[in-house]
Amino acid sequence: MPTKIEKDTATGRMTTGHEWDGIKELNTPLPKWWLYVFYISIAFSAVWVLLFPGIPLGTTYFKGLLGYSTRVEHVENLAAVEAGRADVLAKIRATDVADILKDPATATYAVAGGRVAFAENCAACHGAGGAGQSGYPALGDDSWLWGGDIHTIRQTLMHGIRSVTDPDTRMSEMPAFGQILDREQITTLTSYVLSLSGAATPAAAVMEQGQTLFADNCAACHGDNGQGNREFGAPSLADQLWLYGGTEAEVAGQITQPRHGVMPNWGGRLDEATINMLAVYVHSLGGGE
C-alpha cells in the first residue's frame, strides 16, 4: 500500500512510498556503470539505424548512409562463385557424359557437384547416397529397371518415369491381376514368383500351376525365368531385391493391385550441367555399368 516517502533509518536511502506487510521499498539508484552502458547502447543503436538499412518506408526502405546490404552482398558472392566455376560448368554442359568419365579431373568435379544436386533433389526419395527405401529403388546396386550405363541413367534423369509433363518419359504398366485372376491363382502365382529367387519352395503341383500362370501372364515382360526386361522397365524377379517388399503378402498385393512409382522429368527443372553431374554421380555409386 502507498505510504509517505521517507528516509530509511537503516540504510539512509529514501523509500519509494510502497510498503508490503511492513516491508518498505527502497529507492536505490542503478549503478552508474550500468547507466553509462545503457546510454551508450542507445547512442550506438541510433547510429546503427542511420548507417544500415532497416526502416520501412511504404513500398521501399531506408537503405542506410553506408548503402550496405547483406542481401546484395550475398548476390554478389553467388555471382562471384558462378563466375569462378563458369568454365568447368560450360565444359560439363557441352561434353557427352561418357567422355566426362574419361577425364579424371572433370569427372571428380562432376561427382562432387552431382552429390550436392542429389542431396537437394533426389535424396528425399532415394535416400542419402542412393541407399533407397520402400517404394524408391536403391541406386548403389546393379539392379536397374531401364539400364545402368551412363547414357541410360541420363535419359532417365532427363525425362523421368511416368511423368505426365514429358512425352518422352519412361513408361511401363503392370496390369491389376486382381481383376484378371482369382484369389487362388494369385496365391499360386505369388508362390511361384517367390520361388524364382529362392525365397519359397512350393509343392510340385503349385510350381507347375504357377509356371503356367507365369508363362501366360508375366513372362512377356519379366522374361521366361523372371530375369526382367529393361526394354519394358520390367524388374528381375530372380533376385531378392524388391521395390515394394518381398514378403508373400507384399508380393501378392503387388500382383493384385500394382503400385506404379513416378519420378519427375528433371530435364524440365535442372540445367544440362546439373543433369550431367547427377548422371555421373549416380553412375559412381556402385551400380553403374
Side-chain angles (χ1 to χ4, degrees):
M1 59 178 291
T3 63
K4 66 177 181 178
I5 298 175
E6 59 185 5
K7 181 179 289 188
D8 178 59
T9 56
T11 63
R13 296 189 183 279
M14 299 301 294
T15 65
T16 63
H18 298 153
E19 181 179 345
W20 294 271
D21 298 331
I23 300 175
K24 297 179 180 180
E25 181 183 34
L26 296 179
N27 189 10
T28 304
L30 292 167
K32 290 188 179 298
W33 68 266
W34 192 97
L35 287 172
Y36 293 149
V37 171
F38 178 65
Y39 296 144
I40 291 172
S41 299
I42 294 175
F44 180 84
S45 300
V47 173
W48 185 278
V49 167
L50 292 174
L51 293 178
F52 296 97
I55 302 175
L57 300 173
T59 58
T60 183
Y61 63 94
F62 174 64
K63 296 178 173 57
L65 298 178
L66 295 179
Y68 173 78
S69 170
T70 55
R71 178 175 295 181
V72 172
E73 183 183 41
H74 179 65
V75 171
E76 292 174 348
N77 289 340
L78 286 179
V81 171
E82 290 295 331
R85 63 180 188 174
D87 290 343
V88 67
L89 287 179
K91 180 179 180 180
I92 290 174
R93 188 178 295 111
T95 304
D96 184 275
V97 283
D99 292 331
I100 292 176
L101 296 178
K102 298 174 183 177
D103 182 346
T106 306
T108 299
Y109 188 96
V111 169
R115 182 181 296 109
V116 174
F118 188 91
E120 293 176 348
N121 299 282
C122 313
C125 292
H126 290 286
Q133 55 185 318
S134 178
Y136 304 97
L139 304 175
D141 55 31
D142 58 357
S143 180
W144 299 91
L145 291 177
W146 306 96
D149 67 90
I150 188 71
H151 288 112
T152 303
I153 292 172
R154 187 184 188 280
Q155 176 78 4
T156 303
L157 285 166
M158 280 290 294
H159 300 290
I161 299 173
R162 303 182 188 90
S163 174
V164 296
T165 61
D166 192 321
D168 296 320
T169 190
R170 305 279 195 191
M171 182 62 68
S172 65
E173 193 79 18
M174 176 176 168
F177 285 102
Q179 302 176 20
I180 301 172
L181 306 176
D182 60 35
R183 183 174 298 179
E184 183 178 351
Q185 289 175 314
I186 287 178
T187 300
T188 300
L189 184 57
T190 299
S191 296
Y192 179 77
V193 168
L194 288 170
S195 75
L196 294 174
S197 62
T201 309
V206 174
M207 280 290 291
E208 183 178 353
Q209 296 170 15
Q211 186 174 20
T212 300
L213 287 168
F214 188 88
D216 293 343
N217 297 280
C218 314
C221 292
H222 290 284
D224 293 338
N225 300 312
Q227 72 272 19
N229 189 332
R230 293 180 176 181
E231 183 179 356
F232 304 126
S236 171
L237 305 175
D239 53 29
Q240 293 195 18
L241 299 175
W242 302 96
L243 187 57
Y244 297 107
T247 67
E248 183 175 0
E250 289 167 333
V251 174
Q254 184 66 9
I255 293 173
T256 303
Q257 188 65 47
R259 288 176 281 179
H260 298 102
V262 176
M263 173 178 158
N265 55 310
W266 293 106
R269 306 170 187 231
L270 305 175
D271 66 8
E272 293 278 340
T274 305
I275 292 289
N276 286 352
M277 290 191 293
L278 273 172
V280 172
Y281 173 70
V282 171
H283 187 270
S284 74
L285 291 177
E289 298 172 344

